[in-house]
């Protein structure tokens, strides 16, 4: 019991909160989990894919010469796969996930990985523009 | 001191020179700060879009408007503060150039209008949110959501454009 309370998962899902910030982060945590299954996410991704394709078709060399582009593409495939696996696991047992007082540890690892990967994708994306001229 | 002089003074500060990459070892400072600015603004615009889509009745219809607002807005304001700090640093690099740039000005016109829109919404229809918290938002709330979405797209559009014109 005490081990659960000291874990991040326990902290995020605790029934009794010790500070307004914990309660606030808890609400956001559960809200984000609901919203992540939203069609808006899928619409946004479709727009990103289309506009990214236009840029790549327009200036393929600019994109293909820098390793930043390939690192970004690799991470997008990775994060998309992880997200699909996670979403499938949740959907398969939605009632159980909603009822459970805590999340299984793979879900926690997924959350950390997903955040880090998306941040790294932003870094690589922005740095395509700053590094491509070194390789061209 | 005129505004032009003030901007020139800011540009002469060592931190501004560092942002221009003129100090030893600061060649990558601007790209790094810009990337952090982008990270913060994705959270700002993303969280605002969540709220706007709820007001339009398009997304998150199962969440009460006030609840979503309480969940999301602390993140919006925190990220906005971070974006503003890094944005100010970028501005200092070429304060005079940015201040005179049309796209830069239009960006802040959009952000000002978005702030005004938010103020009108919160002092207006949102005060009676209890009446439409769970259901379909009234027309004025939908208008506020649509306007906010449009104006923030404008902020990003002109913001990105500043980089192509300076």
């Amino acid at each position: 019991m005490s081990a659960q309370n000291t874990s991040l998962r326990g902290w995020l899902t605790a029934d009794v909160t010790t500070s307004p910030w914990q309660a606030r982060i808890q609400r956001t945590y559960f809200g984000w989990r609901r919203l992540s299954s939203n069609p808006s996410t899928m619409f946004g991704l479709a727009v990103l894919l289309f506009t990214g394709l236009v840029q790549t078709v327009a200036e393929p060399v600019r994109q293909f010469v820098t390793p930043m582009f390939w690192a970004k593409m690799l991470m997008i495939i990775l994060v998309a796969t992880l997200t699909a696996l996670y979403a499938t696991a949740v959907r398969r047992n939605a009632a159980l996930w909603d009822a459970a007082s805590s999340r299984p540890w793979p879900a926690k690892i997924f959350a950390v990985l997903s955040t880090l990967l998306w941040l790294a994708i932003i870094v690589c994306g922005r740095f395509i523009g700053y590094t491509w001229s070194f390789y061209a | 001191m005129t505004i032009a002089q003030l901007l020139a003074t800011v540009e002469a500060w060592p931190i501004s020179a560092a942002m221009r990459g003129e100090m030893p070892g600061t060649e990558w400072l601007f790209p790094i700060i810009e990337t952090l600015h982008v990270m913060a603004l994705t959270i700002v615009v993303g969280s605002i879009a969540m709220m706007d889509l709820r007001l339009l009745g398009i997304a998150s219809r199962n969440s009460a408007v006030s609840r979503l607002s309480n969940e999301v807005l602390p993140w919006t304001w925190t990220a906005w503060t971070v974006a503003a700090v890094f944005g100010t640093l970028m501005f200092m690099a070429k304060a005079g150039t940015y201040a005179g740039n049309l796209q830069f000005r239009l960006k802040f016109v959009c952000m000002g209008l978005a702030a005004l829109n938010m103020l009108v919404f919160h002092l207006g229809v949102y005060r009676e949110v209890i009446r439409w918290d769970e259901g379909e938002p009234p027309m004025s709330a939908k208008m506020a959501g649509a306007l906010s979405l449009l104006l923030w797209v404008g902020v990003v559009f002109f913001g990105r454009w500043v980089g192509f014109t300076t």
Side-chain angles (χ1 to χ4, degrees):
Chain A
M1 260 315 190
S2 61
Q4 200 184 72
N5 289 338
T6 51
S7 70
L8 174 65
R9 192 201 318 154
W11 189 81
L12 279 170
T13 55
D15 292 330
V16 181
T17 55
T18 51
S19 75
W21 270 104
Q22 185 184 2
R24 215 168 281 154
I25 291 171
Q26 276 193 359
R27 282 198 300 274
T28 313
Y29 169 71
F30 286 112
W32 187 86
R33 283 205 39 236
R34 267 201 318 281
L35 288 164
S36 63
S37 61
N38 201 282
S40 319
T41 311
M42 294 300 125
F43 173 75
L45 283 175
V47 172
L48 284 174
L49 182 67
F50 175 72
T51 52
L53 266 175
V54 170
Q55 290 181 76
T56 305
V57 168
E59 291 182 288
V61 173
R62 182 184 190 272
Q63 311 274 53
F64 296 157
V65 290
T66 165
M68 292 290 169
F69 174 80
W70 298 108
K72 179 181 173 182
M73 291 306 118
L74 220 78
M75 286 190 290
I76 288 175
I77 292 167
L78 186 61
V79 78
T81 312
L82 288 176
T83 306
L85 289 173
Y86 167 78
T88 312
V90 175
R91 207 177 303 129
R92 195 179 294 145
N93 248 327
L96 201 74
W97 279 75
D98 285 343
S101 59
S102 59
R103 309 301 139 209
W105 62 266
K108 201 161 85 178
I109 291 180
F110 165 76
V112 173
L113 266 180
S114 173
T115 308
L116 291 179
L117 280 167
W118 280 111
L119 289 176
I121 286 166
I122 292 178
V123 173
C124 286
R126 187 60 282 230
F127 272 70
I128 290 172
Y130 283 116
T131 58
W132 76 274
S133 56
F134 302 157
Y135 300 96
Chain B
M1 189 186 257
T2 66
I3 288 177
Q5 283 170 323
L6 181 69
L7 293 170
T9 308
V10 169
E11 276 188 40
W13 288 347
I15 190 168
S16 309
M19 282 302 294
R20 288 192 297 274
E22 287 170 2
M23 310 287 251
T26 57
E27 290 81 5
W28 288 97
L29 188 59
F30 193 94
I32 290 166
I33 297 291
E34 192 189 8
T35 303
L36 294 171
H37 182 72
V38 171
M39 284 175 180
L41 80 86
T42 58
I43 298 173
V44 174
V45 178
S47 59
I48 287 176
M50 282 162 69
M51 204 55 225
D52 291 343
L53 290 172
R54 175 64 184 89
L55 289 178
L56 283 164
I58 293 171
S60 321
R61 295 170 65 105
N62 294 331
S63 301
V65 172
S66 61
R67 186 192 155 119
L68 189 66
S69 178
N70 292 339
E71 282 169 357
V72 159
L73 286 191
W75 291 88
T76 311
W77 281 113
T78 308
W80 187 87
T81 309
V82 173
V85 168
F86 291 129
T88 306
L89 282 172
M90 290 194 289
F91 175 77
M92 285 158 61
K94 290 190 279 182
T97 311
Y98 288 130
N101 179 269
L102 175 67
Q103 285 75 22
F104 183 87
R105 290 177 174 187
L106 286 173
K107 170 184 171 168
F108 282 90
V109 169
C110 282
M111 213 188 304
L113 289 173
L116 196 66
N117 177 54
M118 182 180 67
L119 204 67
V120 170
F121 170 71
H122 273 271
L123 297 179
V125 68
Y126 190 71
R127 293 176 80 148
E128 303 199 328
V129 66
I130 194 98
R131 292 188 186 177
W132 47 276
D133 215 4
E134 301 284 347
E136 186 87 2
M139 188 44 80
S140 51
K142 285 183 178 178
M143 296 266 283
L147 205 58
S148 166
L149 214 50
L150 205 70
L151 287 167
W152 279 102
V153 168
V155 171
V156 174
F157 177 76
F158 288 120
R160 184 65 270 244
W161 205 353
V162 170
F164 294 131
T165 53
T166 51

